[in-house]
Amino acid sequence: MKNCDLIIQSDYLVTMNDQFDVIEKGAVAVSGGLIAAVGPEDEIAAAYRSDKTIGGRHTVAFPGLVNAHTHSPMVYFRGLKDDLPLRVWLEDHIWPAENRWLGHEFVADATELACLEMLKAGITAFSDMYFYGEAIALSVKKAGMRAVIGAGILDFPSPAAATVDDYLANAERFIGNWRGDGRIIPAVAPHAPYTCSPETMKRAKGLSERYRLPLHLHLAETEWEVQEVLSRYGMRPVELLNHHRILDNTVIAAHCVWATDDEIGMLARSGTNVVHCIESNLKLASGIAPVVKMLASGVNVAFGTDGAASNNDLDIMSEMATAAKVHKAVSGDPTVLNAAQAMRMATRSGAGALGIGEKTGSIEAGKSADIVIAGLNRPHLMPLYDIYSHLVYSMKSSDVSDVMVEGRLLIEEGRPVALDEGAIVEKARYWGNRIREKA
Amino acid sequence: MKNCDLIIQSDYLVTMNDQFDVIEKGAVAVSGGLIAAVGPEDEIAAAYRSDKTIGGRHTVAFPGLVNAHTHSPMVYFRGLKDDLPLRVWLEDHIWPAENRWLGHEFVADATELACLEMLKAGITAFSDMYFYGEAIALSVKKAGMRAVIGAGILDFPSPAAATVDDYLANAERFIGNWRGDGRIIPAVAPHAPYTCSPETMKRAKGLSERYRLPLHLHLAETEWEVQEVLSRYGMRPVELLNHHRILDNTVIAAHCVWATDDEIGMLARSGTNVVHCIESNLKLASGIAPVVKMLASGVNVAFGTDGAASNNDLDIMSEMATAAKVHKAVSGDPTVLNAAQAMRMATRSGAGALGIGEKTGSIEAGKSADIVIAGLNRPHLMPLYDIYSHLVYSMKSSDVSDVMVEGRLLIEEGRPVALDEGAIVEKARYWGNRIREKA
């Protein structure tokens, strides 16, 4: 009989291991932040002892969800303007708001709200791309989550920097501050092929290679981008980055809505990780990424929410449900993107995209205890025939009750343990009022 | 100063009246089940006195949502089988399950679960099509909701009846029992043009006309149906019903996914009410209805969840969000189906489709007090710039706190008042276990 820090019991322990094992009346022993053992409840009870047991009857446990592409501080612009053409929305509303408001305090406060929203929705890790990475990292650290935090790079000035040299120097300083942290992974984030020249892309890539860190970028999001890149460089966006040897398995490429069959081949062969942000792509009328083809070609596809300004939430469960349904209609085949596959994309594929697949993304002995528990004893989850079906098609993020990262409970019975929800909500209201007055 | 039964106060009172008025710090005085007055909080406070006030700071109040097409007892088949081709799903799983299980007790118990799920999600009225209407009506009555309950009619035998004569006799008996009820409206529900001959359709229409009741049917749901109807009758489904003078403003036509421009014209001119069930249509890969064109042509389009077996929930907020996003991508225009329009479809258009637009669908003096209150003081709803945006793009049905029909509180602070949630969930588990054993 060994001691452990905590035991999780669950009617359905959805491991997301290679065999997609679901253990009915399963348990997990957690010790020193790691998963010590996984198995049937009675086996774990016979081998491990702990003062604390969570979960229990009428719950499901699954690996922490991964939000592989977001701009978390943009939660403060949630619903600022909707239902507008993309360029009007960006140029008349979002960019002016960013230029007016962005700064360390704004970004730190907004990121705390984003972390709280994500944690409550069962998200334990995310990949961010924005500015003021230092502020983002401090808030993520406080929240107890994992994040890949990309330092944004553009060919033009923004509140964060004036020149490409400045952006790169900021990125390198940020990397120096956070490299080696257990939960924060700094990254380099050249915005997109239409906002960063191939030269800038190559410099960003060089920086990411030097420190062996992810390269996070937008790619082939809109048809306009494809035409713009084609007219400037004579190549389509994916083709262009492939030509300049930017693509490999350290790249987190958001969107890829307009990837052709040839380009899907390039993404597959290079090992590029694609992040499917279906709700944002739908809402901005950007299009619907050929995800079924990408999966068939062996591309690693994860889910992302994009920023809350274009979504308007940070909810991976909702992305799973939307994607699993929309791709059936678009392909005319109700068997594509089944529930277990969607769940895999939201967990293991996400962890793989962030480069932390060895550490998280499934419930297996030796991995970090990044685990979510949700309640099943609810009218909208009755009756239950297939747990994957429920996770993808019926469950809401509001069913999440407990969330842990590295074995530390961050949400317990629906309430944050470390973060102060009342204070975070008050700060959001304060900033929201200021932004509204100037909008 | 007049006495009233109850006062609702809310930061945002979303009336859904003709002017789309939103009253900030608004109030509603409720008296005798009706809305006595609507206005700014201070005006209502000066004119009305009540022992009970609900809502308050950080809430939004809006008209009860309408689910204009569902098969509520199918909640017991939620997630029984997913990700299968439509015919396999229906013929190998759903129909055999129905043939084995359907009966008065099953339908009554399942409907109670459906009502509870809908109420908790802010749905106050729905239009149902199934069998054992008596059992459905009794459960709806117990739940305190409003419903149009269609007695199903088919050209072939089912557990409910053996011949068209039997189905029609059942329907007429059901009409006799419930006609004149304040909240239950019996209706005639010939299943679809591919399962009911024009002769059967005409007999069903005759019955609905005799009693001035709605005619609820499926129409042009799949491409297969179009081909089947074309090959049998030489006309497309909408065209066929138009030709036989079935279509008018008492018709509730679910789906209409495959309506051509000509057929959209027929729907518009006849005043037929179309129910858009986007999540079910996506999940079954049936296609995406041309809703933007329908709205532009003046068709009254409401939202429906369809049965929980193909959705897999009864959540109109989720339908709004999905529809508002998907149609932007499909039409390549982010300005279509804006948030206020989506909200209108979920409330007034739904009430209109059910033929109860005079009574419910908006918060206006003289209408029934069918009102929902939801909490806004939550991380995923922070900050707030536009209440319609939040209702459609950010809010979840789990944010609903209070729901009333005819001024009677059915959900109070998230919990059912009249229904016994524990007992309903236990019954669902009992039936689910029996169904699973035989599946």
Side-chain angles (χ1 to χ4, degrees):
Chain A
M1 199 75 156
K2 291 182 224 168
N3 283 313
C4 69
D5 299 333
L6 181 116
I7 291 174
I8 297 168
Q9 295 185 335
S10 208
D11 282 359
Y12 300 88
L13 180 59
V14 179
T15 65
M16 298 314 294
N17 66 12
D18 280 336
Q19 296 75 42
F20 286 86
D21 285 329
V22 174
I23 306 174
E24 296 201 18
K25 294 210 194 310
V28 184
V30 175
S31 191
L34 298 178
I35 297 170
V38 180
E41 231 171 74
D42 45 2
E43 280 182 22
I44 298 294
Y48 289 87
R49 178 175 42 214
S50 171
D51 292 341
K52 183 157 186 158
T53 299
I54 62 169
R57 289 296 64 81
H58 308 314
T59 68
V60 54
F62 53 91
L65 304 176
V66 179
N67 182 1
H69 176 69
T70 189
H71 313 284
S72 37
M74 293 186 83
V75 280
Y76 274 4
F77 303 130
R78 183 200 319 269
L80 181 59
K81 288 287 167 185
D82 298 284
D83 306 321
L84 291 175
L86 179 63
R87 309 292 303 270
V88 177
W89 177 72
L90 268 180
E91 294 174 15
D92 294 355
H93 301 285
I94 297 300
W95 289 345
E98 289 185 335
N99 282 325
R100 178 182 287 271
W101 295 109
L102 251 52
H104 187 95
E105 194 192 350
F106 176 99
V107 168
D109 289 350
T111 302
E112 260 196 79
L113 175 65
C115 287
L116 178 57
E117 180 180 357
M118 287 194 268
L119 278 175
K120 290 186 98 173
I123 296 166
T124 53
F126 65 103
S127 177
D128 202 86
M129 178 199 290
Y130 212 59
F131 307 104
Y132 298 92
E134 204 64 35
I136 297 174
L138 290 169
S139 291
V140 172
K141 202 73 190 169
K142 188 169 165 190
M145 297 177 78
R146 279 183 201 291
V148 169
I149 301 173
I153 292 169
L154 292 166
D155 273 342
F156 50 86
S158 79
T163 66
V164 174
D165 285 345
D166 290 349
Y167 283 113
L168 285 163
N170 283 352
E172 191 153 12
R173 195 163 41 242
F174 176 61
I175 290 169
N177 290 345
W178 290 95
R179 203 160 59 111
D181 184 276
R183 290 188 281 104
I184 307 281
I185 297 169
V188 186
H191 178 265
Y194 68 98
T195 47
C196 293
S197 68
E199 190 49 41
T200 303
M201 281 285 176
K202 281 190 266 186
R203 292 180 67 190
K205 179 75 181 172
L207 186 59
S208 84
E209 281 178 333
R210 194 163 339 129
Y211 293 100
R212 298 174 186 236
L213 294 170
L215 190 81
H216 184 180
L217 44 79
H218 296 102
L219 188 57
E221 180 175 2
T222 63
E223 206 171 6
W224 174 87
E225 172 187 339
V226 173
Q227 295 311 320
E228 181 68 18
V229 169
L230 256 176
S231 77
R232 279 197 224 165
Y233 308 112
M235 280 181 271
R236 299 173 63 89
V238 178
E239 209 182 352
L240 180 75
L241 297 198
N242 189 60
H243 174 79
H244 289 292
R245 301 177 184 282
I246 306 295
L247 302 179
D248 61 33
N249 66 4
T250 67
V251 174
I252 304 170
H255 306 305
C256 298
V257 170
W258 293 92
T260 60
D261 289 358
D262 271 0
E263 290 180 306
I264 292 173
M266 295 170 195
L267 294 168
R269 282 189 301 276
S270 62
T272 301
N273 302 285
V274 170
V275 187
H276 185 37
C277 302
I278 188 159
E279 294 190 359
S280 170
N281 296 156
L282 292 171
K283 183 161 179 285
L284 294 172
S286 304
I288 298 169
V291 162
V292 173
K293 278 190 184 172
M294 289 181 193
L295 292 169
S297 305
V299 177
N300 183 53
V301 185
F303 288 121
T305 59
D306 208 350
S310 63
N311 187 319
N312 297 350
D313 58 28
L314 305 176
D315 185 340
I316 287 294
M317 284 200 181
S318 171
E319 299 289 330
M320 281 202 285
T322 302
K325 283 179 279 201
V326 167
H327 288 289
K328 290 173 171 63
V330 167
S331 60
D333 180 354
T335 68
V336 304
L337 231 171
N338 67 38
Q341 257 184 314
M343 195 57 196
R344 187 188 167 99
M345 290 167 68
T347 55
R348 292 188 72 142
S349 306
L354 271 57
I356 52 177
E358 299 289 305
K359 204 178 253 189
T360 188
S362 61
I363 302 182
E364 295 180 273
K367 280 198 171 180
S368 175
D370 299 358
I371 299 175
V372 177
I373 300 173
L376 293 171
N377 209 33
R378 316 206 167 169
H380 65 279
L381 299 174
M382 285 290 145
L384 191 160
Y385 302 106
D386 177 333
I387 189 65
Y388 288 114
S389 168
H390 266 39
L391 286 169
V392 173
Y393 297 122
S394 301
M395 193 168 266
K396 296 177 217 303
S397 57
S398 49
D399 297 317
V400 167
S401 59
D402 301 85
V403 180
M404 64 173 64
V405 174
E406 291 184 335
R408 182 176 160 221
L409 267 171
L410 303 176
I411 303 288
E412 193 166 8
E413 292 176 10
R415 275 181 291 275
V417 178
L419 294 174
D420 179 344
E421 179 161 331
I424 289 171
V425 161
E426 273 319 308
K427 272 192 278 189
R429 216 184 315 270
Y430 162 79
W431 282 106
N433 287 338
R434 292 182 66 188
I435 294 165
R436 188 182 310 105
E437 279 164 21
K438 302 287 183 184
Chain B
M1 198 77 155
K2 291 182 223 167
N3 283 313
C4 69
D5 300 334
L6 180 113
I7 291 174
I8 297 169
Q9 295 185 335
S10 209
D11 282 359
Y12 300 88
L13 180 59
V14 179
T15 65
M16 299 315 294
N17 66 11
D18 280 336
Q19 296 75 41
F20 286 86
D21 284 329
V22 174
I23 307 174
E24 296 201 17
K25 295 210 193 311
V28 184
V30 175
S31 191
L34 298 178
I35 296 171
V38 181
E41 233 172 73
D42 46 1
E43 281 181 21
I44 298 295
Y48 289 88
R49 176 175 42 215
S50 170
D51 292 340
K52 184 158 183 156
T53 299
I54 61 169
R57 288 296 64 80
H58 308 315
T59 69
V60 55
F62 52 91
L65 304 176
V66 180
N67 182 1
H69 175 68
T70 189
H71 313 285
S72 38
M74 293 186 82
V75 280
Y76 274 4
F77 303 131
R78 184 201 318 269
L80 181 59
K81 289 287 167 188
D82 297 284
D83 306 322
L84 290 175
L86 180 63
R87 310 292 302 270
V88 177
W89 177 72
L90 268 180
E91 293 174 16
D92 294 355
H93 301 284
I94 296 301
W95 288 345
E98 289 185 335
N99 282 325
R100 177 182 287 269
W101 295 109
L102 251 53
H104 187 95
E105 194 191 351
F106 176 99
V107 168
D109 289 351
T111 302
E112 260 196 80
L113 175 66
C115 287
L116 179 56
E117 180 180 357
M118 286 194 269
L119 279 174
K120 291 185 98 174
I123 296 166
T124 54
F126 65 101
S127 176
D128 201 87
M129 178 199 291
Y130 212 59
F131 307 105
Y132 298 93
E134 204 63 37
I136 297 175
L138 290 168
S139 291
V140 172
K141 203 73 189 165
K142 188 169 166 189
M145 296 176 79
R146 282 183 199 288
V148 170
I149 301 173
I153 291 169
L154 292 165
D155 274 342
F156 50 86
S158 77
T163 66
V164 174
D165 285 345
D166 290 349
Y167 283 113
L168 285 163
N170 283 351
E172 192 152 11
R173 195 162 43 241
F174 175 62
I175 290 169
N177 290 345
W178 290 95
R179 203 161 58 112
D181 184 276
R183 290 187 280 104
I184 306 280
I185 298 169
V188 188
H191 177 265
Y194 67 98
T195 47
C196 294
S197 68
E199 192 47 43
T200 304
M201 281 284 176
K202 281 189 266 187
R203 292 179 68 190
K205 178 76 183 171
L207 186 59
S208 83
E209 281 178 332
R210 194 164 338 130
Y211 293 99
R212 298 173 187 236
L213 294 170
L215 191 80
H216 185 179
L217 44 80
H218 296 102
L219 188 56
E221 180 176 3
T222 64
E223 206 172 5
W224 174 88
E225 172 187 339
V226 174
Q227 295 311 319
E228 181 68 19
V229 170
L230 256 176
S231 79
R232 280 196 223 162
Y233 308 111
M235 280 180 270
R236 300 173 61 90
V238 178
E239 208 182 354
L240 180 75
L241 297 198
N242 189 60
H243 174 79
H244 289 290
R245 300 174 186 283
I246 306 294
L247 302 180
D248 61 33
N249 65 4
T250 67
V251 174
I252 303 169
H255 306 304
C256 298
V257 171
W258 294 92
T260 60
D261 289 358
D262 272 1
E263 290 179 307
I264 292 173
M266 295 171 193
L267 294 167
R269 281 189 301 275
S270 61
T272 301
N273 302 284
V274 170
V275 187
H276 185 36
C277 302
I278 188 159
E279 294 190 358
S280 170
N281 296 157
L282 292 171
K283 184 160 180 284
L284 295 172
S286 304
I288 299 169
V291 163
V292 173
K293 277 190 185 171
M294 290 181 193
L295 292 170
S297 304
V299 177
N300 182 51
V301 185
F303 288 121
T305 59
D306 208 352
S310 63
N311 188 317
N312 295 349
D313 56 29
L314 305 176
D315 185 340
I316 287 294
M317 283 200 183
S318 171
E319 299 290 329
M320 280 203 284
T322 302
K325 283 179 278 200
V326 166
H327 288 289
K328 289 173 172 61
V330 167
S331 60
D333 180 354
T335 69
V336 304
L337 231 168
N338 67 37
Q341 258 183 314
M343 195 57 197
R344 188 188 167 99
M345 290 167 69
T347 55
R348 289 187 75 141
S349 306
L354 271 57
I356 52 177
E358 299 290 305
K359 205 177 250 190
T360 188
S362 60
I363 302 181
E364 296 180 272
K367 280 198 171 180
S368 174
D370 299 358
I371 299 176
V372 177
I373 301 172
L376 293 170
N377 208 32
R378 315 203 169 171
H380 65 279
L381 299 174
M382 285 289 145
L384 192 160
Y385 302 106
D386 177 333
I387 190 64
Y388 288 114
S389 167
H390 266 38
L391 286 169
V392 174
Y393 298 122
S394 301
M395 195 169 264
K396 296 177 216 302
S397 57
S398 50
D399 297 318
V400 166
S401 59
D402 301 85
V403 181
M404 64 173 64
V405 174
E406 290 184 336
R408 181 176 162 224
L409 266 172
L410 303 176
I411 302 288
E412 193 165 9
E413 292 176 10
R415 277 180 290 274
V417 178
L419 295 174
D420 180 343
E421 179 161 331
I424 289 171
V425 160
E426 272 319 309
K427 272 193 276 189
R429 218 185 314 271
Y430 161 79
W431 281 106
N433 287 338
R434 292 182 66 188
I435 294 165
R436 189 181 309 104
E437 279 163 21
K438 303 287 183 184

